[in-house]
């Protein structure tokens, strides 16, 4: 079973984040993108259906969308019962990098859980973090 990643977003965010991933980690052959609402008249449901149909049923899919309950995320929710399908909302670079540098033979649910926990720690209000560190440092 092969694992594929799909980055899906409103606009070109998905291809932009893939560009950043490949700048950091090199070419990624198992990542696919879907950029919604780029061309007038394109049907999102049709885009998603065509993309999903391009993968063998036995392959595992990890889909990362930009916004929970947004139109792009909602289109992929229809596939939530597909075997080997995992849907995450909140597409961001730390999450993706964590997932891609983790051992690829790791069970996917565990990989996702650990990557989510790590990515949450990378989201920081730097002013506050540095201020807290300076106050802590002065206490020693």
């Amino acid at each position: 079973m092969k694992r594929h990643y799909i980055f899906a977003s409103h606009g070109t965010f998905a291809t932009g984040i893939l560009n950043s991933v490949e700048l950091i980690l090199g070419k990624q052959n198992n990542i696919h993108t879907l950029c919604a609402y780029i061309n007038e008249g394109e049907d999102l449901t049709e885009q998603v259906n065509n993309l999903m149909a391009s993968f063998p049923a036995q392959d595992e899919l990890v889909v990362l969308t930009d916004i929970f309950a947004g139109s792009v995320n909602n289109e992929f929710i229809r596939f939530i019962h597909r075997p080997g399908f995992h849907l995450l909302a909140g597409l961001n670079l730390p999450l993706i990098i964590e997932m891609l540098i983790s051992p690829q033979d790791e069970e996917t649910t565990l990989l996702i859980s650990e990557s989510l926990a790590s990515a949450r720690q990378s989201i920081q209000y730097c002013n506050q973090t540095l201020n807290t560190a300076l106050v802590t440092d002065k206490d020693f």
Side-chain angles (χ1 to χ4, degrees):
M1 171 181 359
K2 185 174 180 182
R3 181 183 299 148
H4 301 274
Y5 294 89
I6 298 171
F7 302 165
S9 68
H10 297 80
T12 60
F13 179 55
T15 55
I17 204 158
L18 175 57
N19 183 301
S20 295
V21 166
E22 290 184 337
L23 181 71
I24 296 167
L25 299 177
K27 180 76 175 141
Q28 303 293 312
N29 295 320
N30 62 335
I31 299 177
H32 314 271
T33 60
L34 184 145
C35 296
Y37 309 112
I38 299 300
N39 300 315
E40 189 174 323
E42 269 190 327
D43 181 64
L44 178 57
T45 300
E46 187 177 324
Q47 282 181 285
V48 171
N49 288 344
N50 290 340
L51 180 60
M52 292 297 293
S54 71
F55 299 102
Q58 69 274 12
D59 282 3
E60 195 166 41
L61 300 174
V62 179
V63 179
L64 298 104
T65 65
D66 53 358
I67 301 171
F68 176 70
S71 58
V72 175
N73 184 259
N74 288 342
E75 282 298 325
F76 282 100
I77 290 230
R78 297 180 296 120
F79 297 91
I80 205 84
H81 298 294
R82 179 189 188 271
F85 182 85
H86 308 272
L87 180 60
L88 293 81
L91 178 62
N92 68 75
L93 195 55
L95 173 61
I96 295 164
I97 289 173
E98 186 67 32
M99 292 177 80
L100 295 175
I101 64 171
S102 296
Q104 292 306 297
D105 60 346
E106 187 171 15
E107 196 276 321
T108 305
T109 305
L110 181 61
L111 170 77
I112 290 169
S113 295
E114 291 174 350
S115 296
L116 283 170
S118 179
R120 284 183 185 112
Q121 292 177 357
S122 72
I123 299 171
Q124 297 281 324
Y125 176 29
C126 297
N127 296 44
Q128 188 175 36
T129 302
L130 292 174
N131 191 35
T132 301
L134 290 172
V135 169
T136 303
D137 193 42
K138 287 180 184 177
D139 289 344
F140 287 103

